[in-house]
Amino acid sequence: MLVLVAPGQGAQTPGFLTPWLDLPGVEDRLREWSAAIDLDLVHYGTKADADEIRDTAVAQPLLVASALVSSRQLFATPDEFRAGVGAAAGHSVGELAAAAWTGTLTDTAAMTLVRRRGQAMAEAAAVTETGMAALLGGDEAVVLPHLEKLGLTAANVNGAGQIVAAGTAEQIAALVEDKPEGTRRVVPLKVAGAFHTRHMAPAVTALETAVAELTVADPHTLYVSNRDGQVVASGQELVQRLVGQVANPVRWDLCMETFKEIGVTAIIEAAPGGTLVGLAKRALPGVQTLALKTPDDLDTARALIAEHRSPAAPSAE
């Protein structure tokens, strides 16, 4: 059982798309999407600096585009995807890439929606200076009450001893000075707002309007939702979950529990991979993992797919 996952905001680094543009068709695809959403993905993925790609309205489309173009090197058609992948999921904005992988949205629809999502969340974040910070180590039973005491929200419960707190800049600063007992480190994240909290409520309204215009299909492959780790079989429900998720916590810990329950044996993280396979290595011992960082990783990924393809899945050949 192979699970394909897409990373969330904060995974981007300057120039990370550069090597992917050497592959046939990738630059053309990116330029098509750029024209459709009025955002130069090629520029931001190759030449922009860290501050430019930290902008929520830029980072989110860039990450979904990267997940799509890197994964399409492995699975060019829906049949190839169904033959090789047992389940798909994405962390936060990565859920939109997973919605495209599983056929609920077209690639272009996913890019259009993520552009609106990024803009709406950036607008919501501009109302108050907010941010997020990762807490490494510590017991949930200790960490969660401590966050509540400081007025912070556990916006991402990622499992493997990692919780991401979100709130105002002052609350994040207070957390850095007063970390919960047992927590090794508090690391402020390169994001521009308190995502997955009440601060994002205005973005929910904007996305409700945006999804009303979309054509939606039921997923052809198991889709595991951030809301509660459940498999979602209805395309309409999946899209409604995408809308509500911007103002509610990401439960990646529950997603990984579901991966375990359905029998995952390998996980591939689409570009810019690294964060989610790092969590999986700690939470899912024995599961093989691979992060797609550059095209140099594709041959290894193809070998992993061949090894972990479900015996019941039809051949894509």
Side-chain angles (χ1 to χ4, degrees):
M1 166 71 78
L2 175 74
V3 174
L4 184 66
V5 298
Q9 198 164 337
Q12 72 276 11
T13 55
F16 76 96
L17 272 182
T18 300
W20 295 98
L21 267 66
D22 292 333
L23 301 180
V26 169
E27 183 169 352
D28 289 343
R29 178 63 60 86
L30 290 171
R31 291 201 183 281
E32 288 174 12
W33 291 337
S34 296
I37 66 174
D38 192 26
L39 182 73
D40 190 343
L41 296 165
V42 173
H43 166 75
Y44 285 110
T46 60
K47 297 179 180 178
D49 62 26
D51 284 340
E52 288 179 281
I53 62 173
R54 182 173 177 266
D55 180 348
T56 302
V58 170
Q60 293 192 11
L62 199 57
L63 286 164
V64 172
S66 175
L68 292 177
V69 296
S70 60
S71 63
R72 296 308 185 205
Q73 302 304 311
L74 301 173
F75 312 103
T77 68
D79 283 346
E80 289 181 11
F81 193 93
R82 285 192 293 263
V85 178
H91 189 286
S92 187
V93 72
E95 286 204 291
L96 278 82
W101 291 338
T102 57
T104 293
L105 299 175
T106 66
D107 287 1
T108 300
M111 291 303 304
T112 301
L113 183 58
V114 74
R115 175 62 163 153
R116 187 67 194 102
R117 183 186 194 269
Q119 291 170 326
M121 292 176 74
E123 290 162 6
V127 174
T128 305
E129 187 180 357
T130 57
M132 304 177 80
L135 293 89
L136 307 181
D139 187 326
E140 262 188 50
V142 175
V143 171
L144 296 181
H146 189 86
L147 297 182
E148 186 175 355
K149 180 187 74 173
L150 295 177
L152 290 156
T153 299
N156 302 165
V157 183
N158 286 332
Q162 186 189 102
I163 292 174
V164 176
T168 66
E170 292 80 6
Q171 290 166 339
I172 295 292
L175 176 63
V176 172
E177 292 298 318
D178 178 22
K179 64 180 186 289
E181 183 179 353
T183 297
R184 297 191 307 276
R185 283 196 301 155
V186 175
V187 183
L189 300 182
K190 297 176 182 178
V191 296
F195 306 140
H196 305 291
T197 71
R198 61 180 178 79
H199 294 284
M200 292 295 110
V204 173
T205 303
L207 288 179
E208 285 174 342
T209 300
V211 300
E213 303 170 2
L214 297 177
T215 299
V216 175
D218 293 338
H220 57 58
T221 301
L222 296 181
Y223 179 100
V224 181
S225 170
N226 279 185
R227 187 168 85 184
D228 49 15
Q230 295 300 302
V231 173
V232 181
S234 161
Q236 288 293 341
E237 180 186 351
L238 192 161
V239 168
Q240 288 306 312
R241 282 172 173 246
L242 292 178
V243 170
Q245 197 61 50
V246 300
N248 287 283
V250 170
R251 294 302 306 268
W252 192 251
D253 58 332
L254 299 180
C255 290
M256 289 196 293
E257 284 297 318
T258 298
F259 298 164
K260 187 187 302 183
E261 289 169 9
I262 63 178
V264 61
T265 55
I267 295 176
I268 293 176
E269 182 178 359
T275 303
L276 299 182
V277 297
L279 292 170
K281 285 176 181 177
R282 297 191 293 276
L284 300 169
V287 173
Q288 287 187 257
T289 61
L290 176 68
L292 284 179
K293 295 181 181 293
T294 74
D296 291 342
D297 299 312
L298 289 171
D299 284 345
T300 305
R302 293 184 182 107
L304 197 65
I305 293 163
E307 181 182 353
H308 294 272
R309 176 184 286 119
S310 169
S315 171
E317 298 177 358

